[in-house]
Amino acid sequence: MIHTFKSIDELAVSLSEVVIKLARESIRAGKPFNIALSGGSTPSVLFEKIVSCTDDPGLWEQVNFYWVDERCVPAYHIESNYRMTDDTLFRPLSLSYAHVYRMMGEEEPYAEAERYEAMLRSQLPAREGLPCFNMILLGMGTDGHTASIFPDQMDLLHSGRICEVARHPGTGQQRITLTGPVINNADRVCFMITGAEKASILASILEDRRGSEKYPAAHIKPAWGTLEWYLDQGAKPLFR
Ligand code: 6PG
């Protein structure tokens, strides 16, 4: 399902309403709502809209927040995905952090990937032997990467692990990332993609063109759940 919006603001309002609705339905049914968040710059607009669209802040005390990936930097480093989320979502909601499970970028990466994997296995319901998130929010880089699965590390899409250590191909920065199988095991995966610089790769992926398989984002195909694309006008695919 592709949703296109005139602006990132309109996109973020619509997606925030979906997140709020799903969280509310889950909690009203007496079930936990387990969501994994991506980093980068786009999600901050969504988080700000979640704050402004929330009329019952207590809702978020019952949501379990996890990450799709994290840069191997301290929690309050300018590049930390946790810091961006804390600044734009948790602190504005005055959240208690009781259900915030960050990837600890300051720890030794391989040990942290193992720790996080073990935590996910112990805290999330399983489906087919893998933790099952209610929702995973993804972005896509201008090289077609998603999570911290980069085009030169495609093996992470089929890893036997749930969490692995990745490396940014440009900077060499290490990252902790969820791998393809656990992302594709979620009930609902939502891409949030903006900007004309991604339109060409996006069209290639959405039209399943030859050559699109080199983009990690092209391999996000939930086995059981739904896949949705939230796009602004700039990113809207240049369909042939
Ligand atoms: C990260 C993200 C990454 C992000 C893409 C798109 O840690 O950087 O998880 O996968 O989603 O790079 O980032 P933008 O939304 O900033 O374009």
Side-chain angles (χ1 to χ4, degrees):
M1 172 83 78
I2 299 171
H3 311 273
T4 306
F5 301 87
K6 286 195 190 66
S7 70
I8 184 170
D9 264 14
E10 283 186 27
L11 184 165
V13 167
S14 180
L15 185 49
S16 67
E17 288 166 354
V18 169
V19 176
I20 292 168
K21 176 175 174 291
L22 289 171
R24 205 172 269 147
E25 284 171 357
S26 202
I27 287 150
R28 279 185 184 148
K31 297 178 190 154
F33 188 70
N34 298 306
I35 186 169
L37 308 174
S38 277
S41 57
T42 309
S44 59
V45 183
L46 170 64
F47 297 158
E48 286 160 2
K49 293 302 178 197
I50 287 177
V51 172
S52 58
C53 295
T54 290
D55 48 22
D56 52 348
L59 168 72
W60 303 107
E61 291 297 339
Q62 304 171 74
V63 170
N64 299 319
F65 291 96
Y66 298 89
W67 271 264
V68 168
D69 62 340
E70 181 58 279
R71 293 83 181 276
C72 292
V73 295
Y76 285 96
H77 188 282
I78 190 67
E79 291 185 41
S80 163
N81 290 338
Y82 170 78
R83 171 180 166 168
M84 179 273 290
T85 312
D86 194 32
D87 289 347
T88 56
L89 185 63
F90 299 151
R91 281 197 287 124
L93 286 174
S94 306
L95 210 64
S96 72
Y97 299 86
H99 302 279
V100 173
Y101 304 99
R102 72 180 180 92
M103 290 172 170
M104 297 181 181
E106 69 276 20
E107 297 299 327
E108 195 284 317
Y110 291 89
E112 178 56 15
E114 278 192 36
R115 182 196 73 85
Y116 207 80
E117 173 164 339
M119 182 184 68
L120 292 179
R121 283 191 181 280
S122 71
Q123 293 184 186
L124 266 67
R127 175 162 55 199
E128 299 289 308
L130 287 171
C132 178
F133 285 96
N134 298 105
M135 188 174 210
I136 294 184
L137 293 173
L138 295 177
M140 186 185 78
T142 52
D143 59 355
H145 84 259
T146 190
S148 280
I149 304 175
F150 295 94
D152 65 344
Q153 295 155 61
M154 299 293 272
D155 56 310
L156 295 176
L157 288 164
H158 313 290
S159 169
R161 307 297 309 273
I162 291 167
C163 285
E164 291 242 33
V165 177
R167 188 178 291 278
H168 190 286
T171 64
Q173 181 187 64
Q174 284 184 302
R175 306 228 180 141
I176 312 289
T177 187
L178 296 186
T179 58
V182 68
I183 293 172
N184 282 326
N185 200 44
D187 290 339
R188 198 180 191 115
V189 179
C190 292
F191 273 99
M192 184 180 173
I193 301 175
T194 64
E197 67 279 12
K198 300 176 182 179
S200 171
I201 287 185
L202 197 51
S204 170
I205 292 172
L206 294 177
E207 291 188 326
D208 198 18
R209 290 181 199 160
R210 187 158 22 91
S212 63
E213 66 280 355
K214 64 177 174 285
Y215 304 123
H219 297 263
I220 301 304
K221 297 174 179 171
W224 319 94
T226 59
L227 174 63
E228 293 176 273
W229 303 81
Y230 284 78
L231 314 174
D232 75 345
Q233 202 61 37
K236 186 172 181 298
L238 309 169
F239 286 123
R240 285 189 186 139

